[in-house]
Amino acid sequence: METITDIQKRIQAGERILNIAKEYEAKARADTRNIFREVFNDIEIQALAAEELIKNGKATAMTGVPIAIKDNILFEGHEAGASSKILEGYTASYDSTVVSKLRTAGAIIIGRTNMDEFAMGSSTENSAYGVTKNPIDETRVPGGSSGGSAAAVAAGLAVVSLGSDTGGSIRQPAAFCGVVGMLPTYGSVSRHGLMAMGSSLDVIGPFAHSIEDARTVYEIIKGKDAYDSTSIIIEPSGKSLKKLAVPKGIFAAGGVDTEVQQNFESILEKLKGEGYTIEEIDLPHFKNALAVYYVLMPAEVSSNLARFDGVRYGSRVGEGTIKDFYGDTRGALFGKEVRRRILLGTYVLSHGYYDAYYNKAIAVRTLIMQELRNAFSSYDAIITPTTPTPAFTIGEKANDPIAMYLSDLFTVPANIAHIPGISIPSGATSAGLPLGVQLLGEQGSESQLFAIGEEIERNR
Amino acid sequence: MDIEQVKKLAQLARLEVPESELASVATEMGAILGFVDEIQNVQIDASSDVVGATNIFRSDVVGPIIPVHDLVEVAALHQDHFVKVPKVIGE
């Protein structure tokens, strides 16, 4: 598997970007695991533009690097569908800010990757175009919702990729596929041109083979953007106390695989060997984050997806008045999970339930935010396994929504608290399935997380 | 959650749910609401404002715009510079 540095070396050795790009295009086209929704037709044109950058002395670290993007990120003139039937045939009218930055940097965007429909799911089984198979074990899911982007990197079909993370949709598939996956601080990366799911939760971030590559992509895509008023300039933060915290009782609730726990403990031992102090910390509301998430996220989904009504984008089903075809279009073209979350969101926002659910969830969210912020006054980072289990088999949880939701147990708190997180490969089960550990830091502590992550990379 | 509630929500959400699915949707939503109910037991004494939320302003200046045609042509039905929809007034 090649890293960004490997690609740079090939280019420096005189190899044409065109050849590298064509090589990746051929590999992506030959894939049989349903990783890509589409491999783009203009890879050659992009490669020639990247060669021009080099000729003009304007090359960056990403120039000539093949990258894949999740199917909910807009690339002008290319189809984008969030793996949903309701957007079939939709072509982006403009570039998302992340794509625009990557193109300026000379990256080669080779295709768009499969995902759970509108990023709702943890396995890609909710894609309207079929599940993606995990490249490590094809009987298993790659995780989700950014499963295609994780698998593309794991299979070596792209050097790096972009996903979006609303409750774990980058970190969970990264752990399932054995790659690095990063959730940047909320607002640090522009979401202009990302199809919105939960606007108070969504963040775009990278998948990579190494922390170094994840950092390279993050440095290029981050920054305040006039087109996204929720974007911010990140004030770098983070301490070097060499102290990490483990939330007390995370294994007590059950449901955590024994091998996950053993692997996690072995990583903690290795970090102690590197001079880290590791302490248990009382975070009484950490465990409530998932319940808060399943109130706030559907509420935001029901609002954000109101725009898909058969009028402005994609296809229309049915005739008659708008009242008729709105319902017919949305009922026929949204998948089961999307419909479930829209109805749930409508419920928690409806008269009579708003205070009990939505407002209560907002209040508990505030409590979780405060609790986590307090924790970072005494610790560099919080460390947990990324997921309670390794990748599960295709179909295993497809008919049990709550079992599926629980795979995001450890990842959701970061989105609730607007803090950054990163999943780092930490080894494998006896059956060879990848495992990951997750680091969570205070807002703006990306550099700190990268540094601790590199210690884990060296010692796993 | 019962079938009548699901029908009412479907109407509010402009989302047709087939008759055959109403019962299973009601059961699944009931289970999820049962799961999220744990937040009712959390004691709240802090203010419920989202931490650090502030308004963001920008100057009102004309910038580059996407041509109307590019946005209209992705609509299901369109004519000239307009998205076509059935008559709404009088509904």
Side-chain angles (χ1 to χ4, degrees), chain B residues 25-68:
Chain B
V25 169
T27 309
E28 286 163 358
M29 284 183 64
I32 297 164
L33 290 170
F35 170 71
V36 303
D37 254 347
E38 70 177 52
I39 64 169
Q40 309 305 344
N41 302 325
V42 178
Q43 292 297 318
I44 299 296
D45 44 20
S47 121
S48 66
D49 291 341
V50 174
V51 177
T54 49
N55 286 321
I56 303 291
F57 299 96
R58 62 167 177 81
S59 348
D60 187 15
V61 289
V62 177
I65 53 163
I66 303 166
V68 175

mmCIF file of all heavy atoms in Angstrom, chain B residues 25-68:
data_model
loop_
_atom_site.group_PDB
_atom_site.id
_atom_site.type_symbol
_atom_site.label_atom_id
_atom_site.label_comp_id
_atom_site.label_asym_id
_atom_site.label_seq_id
_atom_site.Cartn_x
_atom_site.Cartn_y
_atom_site.Cartn_z
ATOM 1 N N VAL B 25 -42.858 -0.225 11.429
ATOM 2 C CA VAL B 25 -42.289 1.099 11.713
ATOM 3 C C VAL B 25 -42.658 1.529 13.135
ATOM 4 O O VAL B 25 -41.817 2.019 13.890
ATOM 5 C CB VAL B 25 -42.758 2.146 10.675
ATOM 6 C CG1 VAL B 25 -42.386 3.560 11.109
ATOM 7 C CG2 VAL B 25 -42.163 1.854 9.305
ATOM 8 N N ALA B 26 -43.913 1.290 13.522
ATOM 9 C CA ALA B 26 -44.359 1.660 14.868
ATOM 10 C C ALA B 26 -43.561 0.905 15.932
ATOM 11 O O ALA B 26 -43.116 1.494 16.920
ATOM 12 C CB ALA B 26 -45.854 1.388 15.020
ATOM 13 N N THR B 27 -43.344 -0.385 15.708
ATOM 14 C CA THR B 27 -42.591 -1.191 16.674
ATOM 15 C C THR B 27 -41.153 -0.697 16.791
ATOM 16 O O THR B 27 -40.629 -0.505 17.891
ATOM 17 C CB THR B 27 -42.578 -2.676 16.228
ATOM 18 O OG1 THR B 27 -43.921 -3.064 15.971
ATOM 19 C CG2 THR B 27 -41.970 -3.568 17.288
ATOM 20 N N GLU B 28 -40.505 -0.483 15.625
ATOM 21 C CA GLU B 28 -39.095 -0.052 15.640
ATOM 22 C C GLU B 28 -38.944 1.330 16.272
ATOM 23 O O GLU B 28 -38.026 1.570 17.061
ATOM 24 C CB GLU B 28 -38.536 -0.021 14.216
ATOM 25 C CG GLU B 28 -38.273 -1.406 13.653
ATOM 26 C CD GLU B 28 -38.123 -1.398 12.138
ATOM 27 O OE1 GLU B 28 -38.260 -0.317 11.513
ATOM 28 O OE2 GLU B 28 -37.893 -2.476 11.579
ATOM 29 N N MET B 29 -39.863 2.239 15.934
ATOM 30 C CA MET B 29 -39.767 3.582 16.526
ATOM 31 C C MET B 29 -40.006 3.529 18.027
ATOM 32 O O MET B 29 -39.354 4.242 18.786
ATOM 33 C CB MET B 29 -40.753 4.535 15.853
ATOM 34 C CG MET B 29 -40.272 4.963 14.484
ATOM 35 S SD MET B 29 -41.375 6.153 13.732
ATOM 36 C CE MET B 29 -41.230 7.539 14.844
ATOM 37 N N GLY B 30 -40.912 2.670 18.433
ATOM 38 C CA GLY B 30 -41.171 2.496 19.861
ATOM 39 C C GLY B 30 -39.919 2.030 20.589
ATOM 40 O O GLY B 30 -39.583 2.528 21.674
ATOM 41 N N ALA B 31 -39.194 1.092 19.973
ATOM 42 C CA ALA B 31 -37.966 0.569 20.588
ATOM 43 C C ALA B 31 -36.906 1.665 20.689
ATOM 44 O O ALA B 31 -36.221 1.798 21.709
ATOM 45 C CB ALA B 31 -37.446 -0.613 19.783
ATOM 46 N N ILE B 32 -36.771 2.470 19.635
ATOM 47 C CA ILE B 32 -35.753 3.535 19.650
ATOM 48 C C ILE B 32 -36.120 4.597 20.702
ATOM 49 O O ILE B 32 -35.269 5.051 21.469
ATOM 50 C CB ILE B 32 -35.589 4.171 18.246
ATOM 51 C CG1 ILE B 32 -35.093 3.110 17.250
ATOM 52 C CG2 ILE B 32 -34.614 5.344 18.285
ATOM 53 C CD1 ILE B 32 -35.244 3.500 15.789
ATOM 54 N N LEU B 33 -37.408 4.944 20.761
ATOM 55 C CA LEU B 33 -37.838 5.930 21.769
ATOM 56 C C LEU B 33 -37.635 5.377 23.181
ATOM 57 O O LEU B 33 -37.276 6.120 24.095
ATOM 58 C CB LEU B 33 -39.299 6.334 21.538
ATOM 59 C CG LEU B 33 -39.522 7.186 20.280
ATOM 60 C CD1 LEU B 33 -41.009 7.337 19.987
ATOM 61 C CD2 LEU B 33 -38.878 8.561 20.422
ATOM 62 N N GLY B 34 -37.817 4.082 23.335
ATOM 63 C CA GLY B 34 -37.544 3.448 24.626
ATOM 64 C C GLY B 34 -36.082 3.584 24.995
ATOM 65 O O GLY B 34 -35.724 3.881 26.143
ATOM 66 N N PHE B 35 -35.216 3.407 23.989
ATOM 67 C CA PHE B 35 -33.779 3.538 24.215
ATOM 68 C C PHE B 35 -33.388 4.969 24.583
ATOM 69 O O PHE B 35 -32.639 5.190 25.539
ATOM 70 C CB PHE B 35 -33.024 3.070 22.963
ATOM 71 C CG PHE B 35 -31.557 3.379 22.967
ATOM 72 C CD1 PHE B 35 -30.693 2.705 23.822
ATOM 73 C CD2 PHE B 35 -31.035 4.373 22.151
ATOM 74 C CE1 PHE B 35 -29.339 3.008 23.849
ATOM 75 C CE2 PHE B 35 -29.686 4.683 22.174
ATOM 76 C CZ PHE B 35 -28.835 3.995 23.022
ATOM 77 N N VAL B 36 -33.906 5.956 23.873
ATOM 78 C CA VAL B 36 -33.483 7.340 24.150
ATOM 79 C C VAL B 36 -34.127 7.898 25.424
ATOM 80 O O VAL B 36 -33.690 8.923 25.933
ATOM 81 C CB VAL B 36 -33.750 8.318 22.968
ATOM 82 C CG1 VAL B 36 -33.065 7.837 21.702
ATOM 83 C CG2 VAL B 36 -35.236 8.529 22.728
ATOM 84 N N ASP B 37 -35.119 7.202 25.936
ATOM 85 C CA ASP B 37 -35.793 7.664 27.148
ATOM 86 C C ASP B 37 -34.869 7.806 28.359
ATOM 87 O O ASP B 37 -35.209 8.482 29.318
ATOM 88 C CB ASP B 37 -36.963 6.735 27.500
ATOM 89 C CG ASP B 37 -38.299 7.381 27.196
ATOM 90 O OD1 ASP B 37 -38.313 8.612 26.952
ATOM 91 O OD2 ASP B 37 -39.310 6.672 27.184
ATOM 92 N N GLU B 38 -33.670 7.159 28.285
ATOM 93 C CA GLU B 38 -32.742 7.275 29.416
ATOM 94 C C GLU B 38 -32.377 8.733 29.709
ATOM 95 O O GLU B 38 -32.017 9.065 30.835
ATOM 96 C CB GLU B 38 -31.467 6.447 29.178
ATOM 97 C CG GLU B 38 -30.577 7.033 28.079
ATOM 98 C CD GLU B 38 -29.278 6.261 27.890
ATOM 99 O OE1 GLU B 38 -29.336 5.032 27.723
ATOM 100 O OE2 GLU B 38 -28.214 6.910 27.900
ATOM 101 N N ILE B 39 -32.495 9.611 28.716
ATOM 102 C CA ILE B 39 -32.150 11.019 28.985
ATOM 103 C C ILE B 39 -33.129 11.666 29.958
ATOM 104 O O ILE B 39 -32.812 12.667 30.586
ATOM 105 C CB ILE B 39 -32.023 11.884 27.705
ATOM 106 C CG1 ILE B 39 -33.363 11.988 26.962
ATOM 107 C CG2 ILE B 39 -30.914 11.383 26.794
ATOM 108 C CD1 ILE B 39 -33.346 13.044 25.851
ATOM 109 N N GLN B 40 -34.329 11.077 30.083
ATOM 110 C CA GLN B 40 -35.310 11.644 31.030
ATOM 111 C C GLN B 40 -34.801 11.545 32.469
ATOM 112 O O GLN B 40 -35.200 12.316 33.330
ATOM 113 C CB GLN B 40 -36.676 10.946 30.914
ATOM 114 C CG GLN B 40 -37.243 10.854 29.501
ATOM 115 C CD GLN B 40 -37.364 12.203 28.779
ATOM 116 O OE1 GLN B 40 -37.305 13.268 29.400
ATOM 117 N NE2 GLN B 40 -37.489 12.168 27.467
ATOM 118 N N ASN B 41 -33.910 10.560 32.721
ATOM 119 C CA ASN B 41 -33.418 10.358 34.086
ATOM 120 C C ASN B 41 -32.198 11.215 34.429
ATOM 121 O O ASN B 41 -31.694 11.158 35.540
ATOM 122 C CB ASN B 41 -33.050 8.885 34.294
ATOM 123 C CG ASN B 41 -34.244 7.986 34.024
ATOM 124 O OD1 ASN B 41 -35.370 8.356 34.320
ATOM 125 N ND2 ASN B 41 -33.994 6.833 33.415
ATOM 126 N N VAL B 42 -31.689 11.965 33.449
ATOM 127 C CA VAL B 42 -30.507 12.785 33.723
ATOM 128 C C VAL B 42 -30.938 14.070 34.421
ATOM 129 O O VAL B 42 -31.829 14.777 33.947
ATOM 130 C CB VAL B 42 -29.749 13.121 32.405
ATOM 131 C CG1 VAL B 42 -28.547 14.004 32.690
ATOM 132 C CG2 VAL B 42 -29.328 11.845 31.694
ATOM 133 N N GLN B 43 -30.328 14.333 35.577
ATOM 134 C CA GLN B 43 -30.647 15.548 36.328
ATOM 135 C C GLN B 43 -29.941 16.738 35.686
ATOM 136 O O GLN B 43 -28.749 16.694 35.437
ATOM 137 C CB GLN B 43 -30.162 15.414 37.780
ATOM 138 C CG GLN B 43 -30.926 14.376 38.592
ATOM 139 C CD GLN B 43 -32.401 14.734 38.746
ATOM 140 O OE1 GLN B 43 -32.727 15.902 38.983
ATOM 141 N NE2 GLN B 43 -33.275 13.742 38.603
ATOM 142 N N ILE B 44 -30.683 17.792 35.398
ATOM 143 C CA ILE B 44 -30.109 18.984 34.765
ATOM 144 C C ILE B 44 -30.161 20.143 35.748
ATOM 145 O O ILE B 44 -31.220 20.470 36.265
ATOM 146 C CB ILE B 44 -30.934 19.373 33.518
ATOM 147 C CG1 ILE B 44 -30.924 18.242 32.500
ATOM 148 C CG2 ILE B 44 -30.417 20.660 32.905
ATOM 149 C CD1 ILE B 44 -29.585 17.910 31.927
ATOM 150 N N ASP B 45 -29.011 20.747 36.029
ATOM 151 C CA ASP B 45 -29.084 21.995 36.794
ATOM 152 C C ASP B 45 -28.401 23.146 36.056
ATOM 153 O O ASP B 45 -28.579 24.293 36.378
ATOM 154 C CB ASP B 45 -28.513 21.830 38.209
ATOM 155 C CG ASP B 45 -27.213 21.047 38.218
ATOM 156 O OD1 ASP B 45 -26.584 20.981 37.145
ATOM 157 O OD2 ASP B 45 -26.836 20.503 39.280
ATOM 158 N N ALA B 46 -27.649 22.791 34.989
ATOM 159 C CA ALA B 46 -26.955 23.847 34.241
ATOM 160 C C ALA B 46 -27.937 24.535 33.299
ATOM 161 O O ALA B 46 -29.054 24.071 33.108
ATOM 162 C CB ALA B 46 -25.813 23.247 33.446
ATOM 163 N N SER B 47 -27.513 25.640 32.727
ATOM 164 C CA SER B 47 -28.328 26.299 31.714
ATOM 165 C C SER B 47 -28.343 25.401 30.478
ATOM 166 O O SER B 47 -27.400 24.672 30.206
ATOM 167 C CB SER B 47 -27.724 27.658 31.371
ATOM 168 O OG SER B 47 -27.413 27.733 30.007
ATOM 169 N N SER B 48 -29.428 25.444 29.724
ATOM 170 C CA SER B 48 -29.524 24.523 28.599
ATOM 171 C C SER B 48 -29.015 25.131 27.299
ATOM 172 O O SER B 48 -29.219 24.594 26.235
ATOM 173 C CB SER B 48 -30.963 24.046 28.444
ATOM 174 O OG SER B 48 -31.781 25.122 28.084
ATOM 175 N N ASP B 49 -28.353 26.301 27.379
ATOM 176 C CA ASP B 49 -27.784 26.882 26.156
ATOM 177 C C ASP B 49 -26.622 26.032 25.672
ATOM 178 O O ASP B 49 -25.887 25.474 26.469
ATOM 179 C CB ASP B 49 -27.248 28.290 26.420
ATOM 180 C CG ASP B 49 -28.380 29.261 26.694
ATOM 181 O OD1 ASP B 49 -29.522 28.941 26.321
ATOM 182 O OD2 ASP B 49 -28.119 30.316 27.295
ATOM 183 N N VAL B 50 -26.474 25.945 24.347
ATOM 184 C CA VAL B 50 -25.337 25.209 23.818
ATOM 185 C C VAL B 50 -24.075 26.004 24.128
ATOM 186 O O VAL B 50 -24.011 27.205 23.915
ATOM 187 C CB VAL B 50 -25.481 24.995 22.301
ATOM 188 C CG1 VAL B 50 -24.230 24.352 21.719
ATOM 189 C CG2 VAL B 50 -26.697 24.129 22.026
ATOM 190 N N VAL B 51 -23.075 25.315 24.669
ATOM 191 C CA VAL B 51 -21.841 25.964 25.084
ATOM 192 C C VAL B 51 -21.179 26.688 23.908
ATOM 193 O O VAL B 51 -20.982 26.116 22.851
ATOM 194 C CB VAL B 51 -20.844 24.930 25.651
ATOM 195 C CG1 VAL B 51 -19.520 25.586 26.013
ATOM 196 C CG2 VAL B 51 -21.443 24.244 26.866
ATOM 197 N N GLY B 52 -20.882 27.948 24.109
ATOM 198 C CA GLY B 52 -20.069 28.672 23.130
ATOM 199 C C GLY B 52 -20.757 29.049 21.831
ATOM 200 O O GLY B 52 -20.096 29.448 20.894
ATOM 201 N N ALA B 53 -22.078 28.916 21.740
ATOM 202 C CA ALA B 53 -22.751 29.258 20.490
ATOM 203 C C ALA B 53 -22.820 30.773 20.330
ATOM 204 O O ALA B 53 -23.277 31.470 21.230
ATOM 205 C CB ALA B 53 -24.147 28.660 20.455
ATOM 206 N N THR B 54 -22.338 31.273 19.187
ATOM 207 C CA THR B 54 -22.358 32.719 18.936
ATOM 208 C C THR B 54 -22.843 32.976 17.513
ATOM 209 O O THR B 54 -22.769 32.092 16.661
ATOM 210 C CB THR B 54 -20.934 33.318 19.039
ATOM 211 O OG1 THR B 54 -20.047 32.514 18.256
ATOM 212 C CG2 THR B 54 -20.446 33.379 20.476
ATOM 213 N N ASN B 55 -23.331 34.180 17.274
ATOM 214 C CA ASN B 55 -23.750 34.533 15.923
ATOM 215 C C ASN B 55 -22.530 34.890 15.065
ATOM 216 O O ASN B 55 -21.561 35.452 15.565
ATOM 217 C CB ASN B 55 -24.701 35.723 15.953
ATOM 218 C CG ASN B 55 -26.069 35.321 16.459
ATOM 219 O OD1 ASN B 55 -26.559 34.247 16.133
ATOM 220 N ND2 ASN B 55 -26.667 36.176 17.274
ATOM 221 N N ILE B 56 -22.606 34.574 13.789
ATOM 222 C CA ILE B 56 -21.534 34.893 12.854
ATOM 223 C C ILE B 56 -22.101 35.863 11.803
ATOM 224 O O ILE B 56 -23.152 35.591 11.234
ATOM 225 C CB ILE B 56 -21.033 33.614 12.125
ATOM 226 C CG1 ILE B 56 -20.573 32.557 13.129
ATOM 227 C CG2 ILE B 56 -19.945 33.936 11.103
ATOM 228 C CD1 ILE B 56 -19.313 32.894 13.884
ATOM 229 N N PHE B 57 -21.413 36.961 11.590
ATOM 230 C CA PHE B 57 -21.857 37.921 10.592
ATOM 231 C C PHE B 57 -20.817 38.058 9.485
ATOM 232 O O PHE B 57 -19.645 37.768 9.699
ATOM 233 C CB PHE B 57 -22.095 39.289 11.243
ATOM 234 C CG PHE B 57 -23.158 39.253 12.303
ATOM 235 C CD1 PHE B 57 -22.826 39.109 13.643
ATOM 236 C CD2 PHE B 57 -24.493 39.340 11.949
ATOM 237 C CE1 PHE B 57 -23.814 39.060 14.619
ATOM 238 C CE2 PHE B 57 -25.488 39.291 12.918
ATOM 239 C CZ PHE B 57 -25.149 39.145 14.254
ATOM 240 N N ARG B 58 -21.259 38.479 8.331
ATOM 241 C CA ARG B 58 -20.323 38.777 7.248
ATOM 242 C C ARG B 58 -20.828 40.020 6.523
ATOM 243 O O ARG B 58 -22.006 40.383 6.635
ATOM 244 C CB ARG B 58 -20.209 37.608 6.273
ATOM 245 C CG ARG B 58 -21.497 37.262 5.570
ATOM 246 C CD ARG B 58 -21.253 36.321 4.383
ATOM 247 N NE ARG B 58 -22.508 35.934 3.763
ATOM 248 C CZ ARG B 58 -23.178 36.682 2.903
ATOM 249 N NH1 ARG B 58 -22.736 37.887 2.565
ATOM 250 N NH2 ARG B 58 -24.319 36.256 2.387
ATOM 251 N N SER B 59 -19.937 40.669 5.767
ATOM 252 C CA SER B 59 -20.360 41.852 5.031
ATOM 253 C C SER B 59 -21.228 41.419 3.850
ATOM 254 O O SER B 59 -21.043 40.342 3.283
ATOM 255 C CB SER B 59 -19.172 42.632 4.485
ATOM 256 O OG SER B 59 -17.978 42.186 5.047
ATOM 257 N N ASP B 60 -22.168 42.257 3.508
ATOM 258 C CA ASP B 60 -23.102 41.967 2.428
ATOM 259 C C ASP B 60 -22.511 42.448 1.109
ATOM 260 O O ASP B 60 -22.773 43.552 0.652
ATOM 261 C CB ASP B 60 -24.432 42.672 2.730
ATOM 262 C CG ASP B 60 -25.509 42.279 1.737
ATOM 263 O OD1 ASP B 60 -25.309 41.282 1.019
ATOM 264 O OD2 ASP B 60 -26.536 42.973 1.687
ATOM 265 N N VAL B 61 -21.635 41.630 0.537
ATOM 266 C CA VAL B 61 -20.991 42.028 -0.718
ATOM 267 C C VAL B 61 -21.311 41.020 -1.820
ATOM 268 O O VAL B 61 -21.552 39.851 -1.547
ATOM 269 C CB VAL B 61 -19.447 42.132 -0.557
ATOM 270 C CG1 VAL B 61 -19.060 43.323 0.287
ATOM 271 C CG2 VAL B 61 -18.876 40.854 0.027
ATOM 272 N N VAL B 62 -21.321 41.505 -3.046
ATOM 273 C CA VAL B 62 -21.606 40.634 -4.186
ATOM 274 C C VAL B 62 -20.361 39.813 -4.512
ATOM 275 O O VAL B 62 -19.281 40.356 -4.659
ATOM 276 C CB VAL B 62 -22.032 41.469 -5.410
ATOM 277 C CG1 VAL B 62 -22.270 40.568 -6.619
ATOM 278 C CG2 VAL B 62 -23.279 42.276 -5.086
ATOM 279 N N GLY B 63 -20.529 38.497 -4.585
ATOM 280 C CA GLY B 63 -19.407 37.628 -4.938
ATOM 281 C C GLY B 63 -19.747 36.850 -6.188
ATOM 282 O O GLY B 63 -20.765 37.128 -6.837
ATOM 283 N N PRO B 64 -18.900 35.895 -6.564
ATOM 284 C CA PRO B 64 -19.205 35.080 -7.748
ATOM 285 C C PRO B 64 -20.483 34.270 -7.498
ATOM 286 O O PRO B 64 -20.716 33.800 -6.385
ATOM 287 C CB PRO B 64 -17.991 34.157 -7.873
ATOM 288 C CG PRO B 64 -17.222 34.283 -6.613
ATOM 289 C CD PRO B 64 -17.654 35.517 -5.909
ATOM 290 N N ILE B 65 -21.316 34.139 -8.518
ATOM 291 C CA ILE B 65 -22.550 33.367 -8.357
ATOM 292 C C ILE B 65 -22.610 32.243 -9.389
ATOM 293 O O ILE B 65 -21.993 32.320 -10.441
ATOM 294 C CB ILE B 65 -23.813 34.251 -8.473
ATOM 295 C CG1 ILE B 65 -23.772 35.067 -9.778
ATOM 296 C CG2 ILE B 65 -23.979 35.146 -7.264
ATOM 297 C CD1 ILE B 65 -25.114 35.623 -10.166
ATOM 298 N N ILE B 66 -23.359 31.207 -9.048
ATOM 299 C CA ILE B 66 -23.562 30.097 -9.981
ATOM 300 C C ILE B 66 -24.669 30.508 -10.945
ATOM 301 O O ILE B 66 -25.720 30.974 -10.508
ATOM 302 C CB ILE B 66 -23.961 28.822 -9.215
ATOM 303 C CG1 ILE B 66 -22.894 28.472 -8.176
ATOM 304 C CG2 ILE B 66 -24.195 27.664 -10.171
ATOM 305 C CD1 ILE B 66 -23.336 27.448 -7.157
ATOM 306 N N PRO B 67 -24.463 30.366 -12.263
ATOM 307 C CA PRO B 67 -25.511 30.756 -13.217
ATOM 308 C C PRO B 67 -26.831 30.029 -12.905
ATOM 309 O O PRO B 67 -26.823 28.842 -12.589
ATOM 310 C CB PRO B 67 -24.952 30.301 -14.567
ATOM 311 C CG PRO B 67 -23.474 30.195 -14.360
ATOM 312 C CD PRO B 67 -23.273 29.846 -12.923
ATOM 313 N N VAL B 68 -27.939 30.768 -12.986
ATOM 314 C CA VAL B 68 -29.264 30.212 -12.664
ATOM 315 C C VAL B 68 -29.511 28.918 -13.444
ATOM 316 O O VAL B 68 -29.992 27.932 -12.893
ATOM 317 C CB VAL B 68 -30.369 31.248 -12.995
ATOM 318 C CG1 VAL B 68 -31.748 30.645 -12.790
ATOM 319 C CG2 VAL B 68 -30.195 32.485 -12.140
#
